[in-house]
Amino acid sequence: QVQLVESGGGSVQAGGSLRLSCAASGISINTYSMGWFRQAPGKAREAVAALDNEGTPSYADSVKGRFTISRDNAENTLYLEMNSLKVEDTAMYYCAADRVEWWKLLRPSLYNNWGQGTQVTVSS
């Protein structure tokens, strides 16, 4: 079965950086759409960034220019490089995988395979 394991979260000050990783098993990530999503307490889960199976990225407007999504096919791992972090980026970050068309990549409801999440906390 599909297993996604996130790591790399932590606590940083505003303006800092973190790199999240999502190690996948049970699938080859270059044949799936893969995404990063986040959920803050009391808020709905929202998209952060995603890659289609060809590696074309999509980003939420709130993170464009600050976050970069990438993948290493050999390691079967998805990454999220987060720079210039803001307090409002504080959330649980989740990795997800599914066969999603490129124009729907940022819709969390279309993903059926999820990791357990990694917490990112940004302080002022």
Side-chain angles (χ1 to χ4, degrees):
Q1 72 274 21
V2 179
Q3 186 173 17
L4 303 171
V5 180
E6 301 96 333
S7 61
S11 296
V12 296
Q13 289 194 320
S17 299
L18 283 173
R19 188 193 196 202
L20 306 184
S21 299
C22 171
S25 58
I27 60 169
S28 294
I29 64 171
N30 61 346
T31 64
Y32 275 68
S33 294
M34 303 286 296
W36 287 100
F37 300 84
R38 66 188 182 188
Q39 189 166 18
K43 295 188 177 181
R45 190 168 295 190
E46 64 177 7
V48 176
L51 285 174
D52 70 6
N53 62 314
E54 295 184 355
T56 304
S58 293
Y59 294 94
D61 289 343
S62 59
V63 306
K64 282 180 181 176
R66 300 189 298 122
F67 292 9
T68 302
I69 188 171
S70 64
R71 69 186 187 195
D72 184 325
N73 295 335
E75 295 294 325
N76 216 34
T77 299
L78 182 74
Y79 299 100
L80 185 69
E81 186 75 36
M82 304 187 295
N83 298 314
S84 302
L85 281 161
K86 303 176 180 180
V87 172
E88 51 264 41
D89 293 319
T90 296
M92 184 72 78
Y93 282 69
Y94 298 91
C95 171
D98 218 314
R99 300 191 187 276
V100 179
E101 294 89 345
W102 67 267
W103 63 92
K104 302 177 185 177
L105 285 176
L106 299 181
R107 299 186 191 180
S109 62
L110 298 182
Y111 292 79
N112 291 299
N113 302 293
W114 293 86
Q116 83 290 347
T118 187
Q119 178 68 37
V120 172
T121 302
V122 185
S123 59
S124 58

